[in-house]
Amino acid sequence: MKQNKVIIVGGGLVGSLAACYFAKRGWVVELYEKRPDPRDPENLGTRNLRSINLAISTRGLSAINRLSPEVEKKVMDIVLPMYGRMIHNLDGSTAGQAYNVFGKAINSVDRGRLNEILLDECETFEGTKVFFEYSLEKCDMDAKTATFKNLKTGEIVSTSGDLVIGADGVHSVTRRFLQYYTKVNFEQVYIDHGYMEFEMRAKDGQFQMAKDHLHIWPRKTFMLIALPNLDKSFTCTLFMPWSKFNSIKTEEDLNTFFKENFPDSIPLFGQEEINLYFTNPKGSLCYIKCSPHHYKGNAVIVGDASHCTVPFYAQGMNCGFEDIEVLDTLLCQQAAPLINSKDAEQCQNVKTSSLTSDQIESALINYSACRPRDSASMIDLAMHNYIEMRHSVNTLSYKMRQWLEGKLYSIMPNTVIPLYTMVSFSKISYTDATKKWNRQTKALQSMVSVFSKLSFITAATLLIRYSGPRMGLRMPSISEIVKIFRK
Amino acid sequence: MKQNKVIIVGGGLVGSLAACYFAKRGWVVELYEKRPDPRDPENLGTRNLRSINLAISTRGLSAINRLSPEVEKKVMDIVLPMYGRMIHNLDGSTAGQAYNVFGKAINSVDRGRLNEILLDECETFEGTKVFFEYSLEKCDMDAKTATFKNLKTGEIVSTSGDLVIGADGVHSVTRRFLQYYTKVNFEQVYIDHGYMEFEMRAKDGQFQMAKDHLHIWPRKTFMLIALPNLDKSFTCTLFMPWSKFNSIKTEEDLNTFFKENFPDSIPLFGQEEINLYFTNPKGSLCYIKCSPHHYKGNAVIVGDASHCTVPFYAQGMNCGFEDIEVLDTLLCQQAAPLINSKDAEQCQNVKTSSLTSDQIESALINYSACRPRDSASMIDLAMHNYIEMRHSVNTLSYKMRQWLEGKLYSIMPNTVIPLYTMVSFSKISYTDATKKWNRQTKALQSMVSVFSKLSFITAATLLIRYSGPRMGLRMPSISEIVKIFRK
């Protein structure tokens, strides 16, 4: 029997999850990663110690669960659940805002440790080979051949397979080759804001703030956030317009800035950490949307390679993991058309490793029919959520809507669903979530509008009826109004 | 005295115009072009014989005039002015639509011959070297060094200068290097339509249709257009959704398609030319927007490399030529701040070849402050004009507005200006033209709206006053209306 081979470019989170999935479905898997093996003690120094923390939520966990409930357990052992936002006001007071009326949580997780779990898992499969320190040099997508350079020896190696998967991140080389082979609509936008990370260390072996919340200091045009780590520290990220970053030039500027905006954080960081402002790297923020994501039955890009987002909805990795679940579902559909391919249990033993290239192409066509649109919706949601996190969370209208929507949701959980719940705690597609939310917004607005019109008419009627006599006014009757038009 | 050197990548229309400008301003110029010299008789076969015709209008001519009125004369000697559109209806009838109430024309021109005029011109300057068959391999934008490969010998050469200009078209390699050096927002969109060219030959040494019009067969979702050539042929282009292209599979399909849609064109083409449908190449249509266009004072991209448009406003080359005029204006402003750098005559003898790199950077910052936005507006206008050309031109509301706007324009030519005139016959920036047109649209709409409301009130009043008695209705007086609210 034919056994398909997949070449995966990139062994980060999404690439290593893809490797697990294809191995589980019976494929020969070759995974090529540019960086050194993160599990090798020698390479500890090469691990990227500064990167925006991750929060894994329903979509990400669902993809891991479909792969293996045991792996999901391993992941859940290293996460810290966050049940809501903790808003830090200017006066030092704090206020919690639950993410979900039923108490659901998103989970702070260490990127490196999650990656290691997935790499370990994919290596448990026979027929899976992982190559570290190999960079993609060329990809012939007609011949399904990828050429890599061994970064240690300089050697050039070529490998052919039945499918090439590009999971090589925002600067994806696979994506660049895809653009040679097919017409790719493409959008890349840098936003005018950048970010910088700080560390808030544990004190006396304890967290310095509540560990079960995502902490936010919303300051309208900028914000500081903090996510808890297993070692009881917090990784804090300052998101701010570049112009604001550039305006802080001296230690005095910096101290004034922290005193005016995040006074309660100063003792928690300590002056030394704050002073790292002048040496810490600043990161830029951009998003990338493109379409299609595939070429024939030969190649497909997934994860950040196909959709890079700003981090404000914590959906980048979740969406990338969902990519792999969707891809697997569509391949299972080809291999076993008679079962419900979305059902993890029914698919438990399905093998997709002997699909023909036509079948793979059908799956990839279906993939590009939904994922580019859904990931673009996710990016739009993340752009919108930046305004929500740094500003709206502190406004009365936002709080009122959250309250009202929360109440309606708890009464009729299938009819009204808050946006945050649809995005983070459901598997409703990002596009459908956006549409549903727009409908809900309209419905709430017209409720408010009808309510205010009724109030106005009632008030005016009451005014004329009860104060009218004093003001020389009275309510005309309908027949009187009709009469003046009659001859 | 310092003499700056510019390295220009790409010797197409915009690159060769740029070479002329920099040579005129005293720079040492090196121009590198990937293709062979189009003027070399040996290379006639390599000229791209099929490409959408060009129409040069005010912006393009202005840029050539600023360079040299003599060159403008040479160009005007090889153009064919088109004073309007000639609409070909389904029944074979035709109707002319002038482009401008004052009789202005756009000019059909042969890309190859225009390119030759500009290449000849730049070679008249001492200190200008043109290299053909050199492809850009690497560009170090910090060192202002470009590395080319001699395509005939395989030799690699590097050259350094004070400024690198990328005029290397839609697939610009310079742009790709620019993206390494600076954060470039980028958008590339393929539209769902493609194009195919046909030739309508001269008959008995004569044009087969009116030579002073751009001919259009508007068919709602697709269209055929024709532009005259000096050899009395027309180059015709069929623009159509890919799905429609794909639906024509047999000769019978093709003949039915032409008979149903362009019956009057069949005898003009001849069956043989129509049958080339099955072998003629099909082109795809995309646009590219990006920003910024420059890196420090070191590099800038111009023309299609920085803005690629769909061809429906015939502004691609015109905008590219305007790029060079704007760039020259901004450099002259640095070199001679006391004169009006927009005035061609005042700048006649200005040299920009001893500008410092800071001054060049200032000019490029100003360039990126306007050109990305203006060229994006041009692209939006072109996308909109596709609908106008293939459909709106045949609608009553379009014709009424054209008529009304034309009338207002002829009475007050500074207040109301039709969009086509602003784009093709003025140098108002594309962005301002779009804004002004939106304002005009709103003003016309509210005129129509006020007019229809007044008509309604007048009609209702007249109805009640004159037919009211018979219908038992009369007009109440204001005092009667007030009275019924009074006690």
Side-chain angles (χ1 to χ4, degrees):
Chain A
M1 196 162 135
K2 185 188 171 208
Q3 192 187 18
N4 284 332
K5 176 175 143 188
V6 63
I7 300 158
I8 299 174
V9 186
L13 295 171
V14 176
S16 55
L17 180 68
C20 296
Y21 260 101
F22 279 84
K24 173 187 159 106
R25 298 294 181 208
W27 292 56
V28 174
V29 176
E30 285 183 6
L31 178 70
Y32 293 85
E33 166 57 42
K34 205 166 67 177
R35 289 162 300 177
D37 190 342
R39 298 160 301 179
D40 188 337
E42 269 183 37
N43 298 325
L44 267 183
T46 62
R47 242 169 77 181
N48 188 356
L49 292 175
R50 298 213 170 253
S51 80
I52 301 175
N53 306 43
L54 296 173
I56 191 165
S57 50
T58 299
R59 292 169 207 265
L61 291 170
S62 162
I64 297 176
N65 177 282
R66 179 181 169 95
L67 170 71
S68 148
E70 288 73 43
V71 176
E72 191 192 8
K73 269 190 216 112
K74 284 185 198 161
V75 172
M76 289 308 286
D77 281 347
I78 60 160
V79 307
L80 284 164
M82 301 180 287
Y83 295 91
R85 296 172 179 145
M86 184 64 76
I87 308 295
H88 292 246
N89 298 314
L90 264 181
D91 61 7
S93 66
T94 55
Q97 293 183 352
Y99 279 131
N100 177 274
V101 293
F102 299 119
K104 291 183 182 167
I106 62 174
N107 305 285
S108 181
V109 68
D110 181 280
R111 176 196 293 269
R113 294 181 72 169
L114 180 54
N115 203 168
E116 286 167 18
I117 291 175
L118 294 172
L119 285 171
D120 286 345
E121 176 67 16
C122 79
E123 287 185 335
T124 63
F125 292 92
E126 249 183 85
T128 294
K129 281 187 212 150
V130 183
F131 303 88
F132 289 97
E133 299 181 69
Y134 278 78
S135 73
L136 182 67
E137 298 292 303
K138 231 188 97 179
C139 187
D140 182 333
M141 292 195 175
D142 279 318
K144 301 181 244 186
T145 300
T147 305
F148 296 90
K149 184 183 193 172
N150 181 329
L151 295 176
K152 286 172 291 190
T153 64
E155 190 196 1
I156 300 289
V157 292
S158 279
T159 179
S160 296
D162 300 278
L163 176 63
V164 177
I165 296 184
D168 43 351
V170 50
H171 301 292
S172 172
V173 179
T174 320
R175 183 179 66 227
R176 226 173 57 210
F177 284 103
L178 182 70
Q179 288 176 305
Y180 294 155
Y181 285 88
T182 187
K183 290 178 275 183
V184 178
N185 289 332
F186 186 81
E187 188 181 356
Q188 169 168 320
V189 174
Y190 285 88
I191 68 170
D192 285 337
H193 293 232
Y195 72 91
M196 180 185 280
E197 292 196 354
F198 294 92
E199 205 190 339
M200 186 183 285
R201 285 185 196 71
K203 198 172 178 184
D204 308 329
Q206 292 305 318
F207 284 101
Q208 295 205 70
M209 305 185 296
K211 67 166 183 180
D212 52 1
H213 278 72
L214 188 155
H215 295 260
I216 313 185
W217 290 254
R219 297 298 179 259
K220 282 197 183 170
T221 57
F222 56 95
M223 68 176 181
L224 179 71
I225 69 168
L227 276 83
N229 299 318
L230 276 186
D231 68 358
K232 301 189 177 169
S233 68
F234 282 88
T235 301
C236 305
T237 315
L238 175 62
F239 293 97
M240 206 157 67
W242 286 114
S243 56
K244 187 96 186 157
F245 271 115
N246 296 335
S247 72
I248 299 172
K249 288 181 182 139
T250 64
E251 246 177 72
E252 204 189 321
D253 294 344
L254 180 67
N255 289 334
T256 311
F257 172 71
F258 265 83
K259 265 180 213 149
E260 278 180 1
N261 294 295
F262 318 119
D264 57 332
S265 78
I266 301 173
L268 309 180
F269 281 125
Q271 192 63 42
E272 208 174 321
E273 180 66 24
I274 291 175
N275 283 349
L276 290 181
Y277 178 91
F278 295 106
T279 45
N280 275 347
K282 296 184 199 95
S284 52
L285 299 163
C286 88
Y287 67 77
I288 290 176
K289 299 174 179 176
C290 67
S291 173
H293 289 174
H294 79 290
Y295 173 64
K296 293 187 179 167
N298 303 3
V300 64
I301 53 173
V302 295
D304 280 3
S306 62
H307 50 74
C308 169
T309 182
V310 292
F312 307 112
Y313 229 121
Q315 286 297 311
M317 171 193 58
N318 287 293
C319 182
F321 280 10
E322 194 176 61
D323 288 347
I324 306 304
E325 179 170 353
V326 170
L327 182 59
D328 182 63
T329 304
L330 294 170
L331 289 167
C332 286
Q333 201 179 52
Q334 295 292 326
L338 298 178
I339 64 168
N340 173 6
S341 63
K342 288 191 181 173
D343 185 305
E345 288 215 21
Q346 285 189 43
C347 292
Q348 196 51 41
N349 298 312
V350 172
K351 299 288 171 202
T352 61
S353 51
S354 49
L355 287 177
T356 65
S357 69
D358 280 351
Q359 287 175 311
I360 297 172
E361 181 167 8
S362 296
L364 296 190
I365 288 171
N366 292 335
Y367 184 86
S368 269
C370 62
R371 292 315 281 173
R373 189 189 56 216
D374 281 339
S375 52
S377 298
M378 179 273 292
I379 291 164
D380 293 339
L381 286 164
M383 287 291 287
H384 173 267
N385 210 46
Y386 187 24
I387 304 166
E388 181 159 323
M389 285 177 84
R390 68 176 200 243
H391 177 50
S392 315
V393 289
N394 256 351
T395 61
L396 184 64
S397 59
Y398 172 85
K399 288 178 190 163
M400 279 175 66
R401 175 166 179 175
Q402 288 304 101
W403 175 84
L404 181 61
E405 237 171 10
K407 284 287 168 210
L408 293 171
Y409 173 50
S410 60
I411 301 164
M412 34 186 188
N414 294 316
T415 313
V416 174
I417 315 178
L419 181 61
Y420 198 92
T421 291
M422 287 194 279
V423 173
S424 299
F425 305 125
S426 90
K427 287 168 68 183
I428 300 171
S429 83
Y430 294 109
T431 308
D432 288 344
T434 307
K435 280 186 195 156
K436 189 174 169 60
W437 182 63
N438 286 336
R439 280 199 305 274
Q440 280 174 199
T441 305
K442 269 192 200 144
L444 287 172
Q445 276 169 348
S446 50
M447 263 174 65
V448 170
S449 161
V450 166
F451 183 75
S452 53
K453 275 177 196 154
L454 282 177
S455 311
F456 176 77
I457 293 173
T458 311
T461 309
L462 290 175
L463 187 76
I464 294 187
R465 181 138 291 168
Y466 295 107
S467 301
R470 257 175 295 146
M471 295 155 70
L473 293 177
R474 67 183 184 86
M475 286 299 290
S477 68
I478 300 294
S479 64
E480 277 175 304
I481 294 169
V482 170
K483 221 168 79 186
I484 65 161
F485 281 91
R486 286 257 170 79
K487 203 184 165 182
Chain B
M1 196 160 132
K2 186 188 172 209
Q3 191 187 18
N4 284 332
K5 175 175 143 190
V6 63
I7 300 157
I8 299 175
V9 186
L13 295 169
V14 176
S16 53
L17 180 69
C20 295
Y21 260 102
F22 279 83
K24 173 187 159 105
R25 298 294 180 209
W27 292 56
V28 174
V29 176
E30 285 183 7
L31 177 70
Y32 293 84
E33 166 57 43
K34 207 166 64 177
R35 288 162 303 175
D37 189 342
R39 298 162 299 179
D40 189 338
E42 269 182 38
N43 297 324
L44 269 183
T46 62
R47 241 168 78 182
N48 189 356
L49 292 175
R50 299 212 168 256
S51 81
I52 299 176
N53 307 43
L54 296 173
I56 191 164
S57 49
T58 298
R59 291 168 205 266
L61 290 171
S62 162
I64 296 176
N65 178 281
R66 179 180 170 96
L67 171 69
S68 148
E70 287 74 42
V71 176
E72 192 192 8
K73 271 189 215 115
K74 283 184 200 164
V75 172
M76 288 308 286
D77 280 347
I78 60 159
V79 307
L80 284 164
M82 301 179 287
Y83 295 91
R85 295 171 181 147
M86 183 65 75
I87 309 295
H88 291 246
N89 297 314
L90 264 183
D91 60 9
S93 65
T94 55
Q97 292 183 353
Y99 278 133
N100 177 275
V101 292
F102 298 120
K104 291 184 182 167
I106 62 174
N107 305 285
S108 180
V109 67
D110 182 280
R111 175 196 294 269
R113 293 182 72 170
L114 180 55
N115 203 166
E116 286 167 19
I117 290 175
L118 295 171
L119 285 172
D120 286 345
E121 176 67 15
C122 79
E123 286 184 337
T124 64
F125 292 92
E126 251 183 83
T128 294
K129 282 187 212 149
V130 184
F131 303 88
F132 289 97
E133 299 181 68
Y134 279 79
S135 73
L136 181 68
E137 297 293 301
K138 232 189 95 180
C139 187
D140 183 334
M141 291 194 176
D142 279 319
K144 300 181 248 186
T145 299
T147 304
F148 296 91
K149 185 184 192 171
N150 180 330
L151 296 176
K152 285 171 293 189
T153 65
E155 190 196 1
I156 300 289
V157 293
S158 279
T159 179
S160 296
D162 300 278
L163 176 63
V164 177
I165 297 184
D168 44 351
V170 48
H171 301 294
S172 173
V173 178
T174 320
R175 183 179 67 225
R176 225 172 60 210
F177 283 102
L178 182 71
Q179 287 176 305
Y180 293 155
Y181 285 88
T182 188
K183 290 179 273 180
V184 178
N185 289 334
F186 184 81
E187 189 183 355
Q188 169 169 321
V189 174
Y190 285 87
I191 68 170
D192 284 337
H193 294 231
Y195 73 91
M196 180 185 282
E197 292 195 351
F198 293 93
E199 204 190 338
M200 186 184 286
R201 286 186 196 73
K203 198 176 177 182
D204 307 328
Q206 293 304 319
F207 284 104
Q208 294 204 70
M209 304 185 298
K211 67 166 182 180
D212 52 1
H213 278 73
L214 189 155
H215 295 261
I216 312 183
W217 290 254
R219 297 297 179 260
K220 282 197 184 173
T221 57
F222 57 95
M223 67 177 181
L224 179 70
I225 69 167
L227 276 83
N229 299 318
L230 275 187
D231 68 359
K232 301 189 177 171
S233 68
F234 282 88
T235 301
C236 306
T237 315
L238 174 63
F239 293 98
M240 207 158 66
W242 286 113
S243 56
K244 188 94 186 160
F245 271 116
N246 297 334
S247 72
I248 299 173
K249 286 179 182 139
T250 63
E251 246 175 73
E252 204 189 320
D253 293 345
L254 179 66
N255 289 333
T256 312
F257 172 70
F258 265 82
K259 265 181 213 148
E260 278 181 0
N261 294 295
F262 318 120
D264 57 333
S265 78
I266 301 173
L268 308 180
F269 281 125
Q271 190 65 40
E272 208 175 318
E273 180 67 25
I274 291 175
N275 283 350
L276 290 181
Y277 179 92
F278 295 106
T279 46
N280 276 347
K282 296 185 199 92
S284 52
L285 298 163
C286 87
Y287 68 78
I288 290 176
K289 300 174 179 177
C290 67
S291 171
H293 289 174
H294 79 288
Y295 173 64
K296 296 188 179 166
N298 303 3
V300 62
I301 51 173
V302 293
D304 281 4
S306 62
H307 49 73
C308 169
T309 180
V310 292
F312 307 112
Y313 229 121
Q315 287 297 313
M317 171 194 58
N318 287 292
C319 181
F321 280 11
E322 194 176 61
D323 288 348
I324 305 304
E325 179 171 352
V326 170
L327 183 58
D328 182 62
T329 305
L330 294 169
L331 289 167
C332 286
Q333 201 178 55
Q334 295 293 325
L338 298 178
I339 64 169
N340 173 8
S341 64
K342 287 191 181 171
D343 186 306
E345 287 216 20
Q346 286 190 43
C347 292
Q348 195 53 34
N349 298 312
V350 171
K351 299 288 169 202
T352 60
S353 50
S354 51
L355 288 176
T356 65
S357 69
D358 280 352
Q359 288 176 309
I360 299 173
E361 181 167 9
S362 297
L364 296 190
I365 288 171
N366 292 336
Y367 185 86
S368 271
C370 63
R371 290 315 281 172
R373 190 190 55 214
D374 281 339
S375 52
S377 298
M378 180 274 293
I379 291 164
D380 293 341
L381 286 165
M383 288 292 287
H384 172 268
N385 211 45
Y386 188 25
I387 305 166
E388 182 160 322
M389 285 178 84
R390 67 176 201 241
H391 176 50
S392 314
V393 288
N394 256 349
T395 61
L396 184 65
S397 59
Y398 172 82
K399 288 178 192 164
M400 279 175 66
R401 178 168 178 176
Q402 288 303 102
W403 175 83
L404 181 60
E405 240 171 7
K407 284 286 168 214
L408 294 171
Y409 174 48
S410 59
I411 300 164
M412 32 186 192
N414 294 316
T415 314
V416 174
I417 315 179
L419 181 61
Y420 197 90
T421 291
M422 289 194 279
V423 172
S424 299
F425 306 124
S426 91
K427 288 168 69 184
I428 302 170
S429 83
Y430 295 108
T431 308
D432 289 343
T434 307
K435 281 187 194 153
K436 188 173 171 58
W437 183 63
N438 286 335
R439 281 200 305 273
Q440 281 175 199
T441 305
K442 268 192 200 144
L444 286 173
Q445 277 170 346
S446 49
M447 262 174 68
V448 170
S449 161
V450 166
F451 182 75
S452 54
K453 275 178 195 152
L454 281 177
S455 312
F456 176 78
I457 294 172
T458 312
T461 309
L462 289 176
L463 186 76
I464 294 185
R465 180 140 293 164
Y466 296 105
S467 303
R470 255 173 296 147
M471 296 155 69
L473 294 176
R474 68 181 184 89
M475 287 297 294
S477 67
I478 301 294
S479 64
E480 276 176 305
I481 295 171
V482 171
K483 220 168 82 183
I484 65 163
F485 281 95
R486 285 257 170 78
K487 201 185 169 185

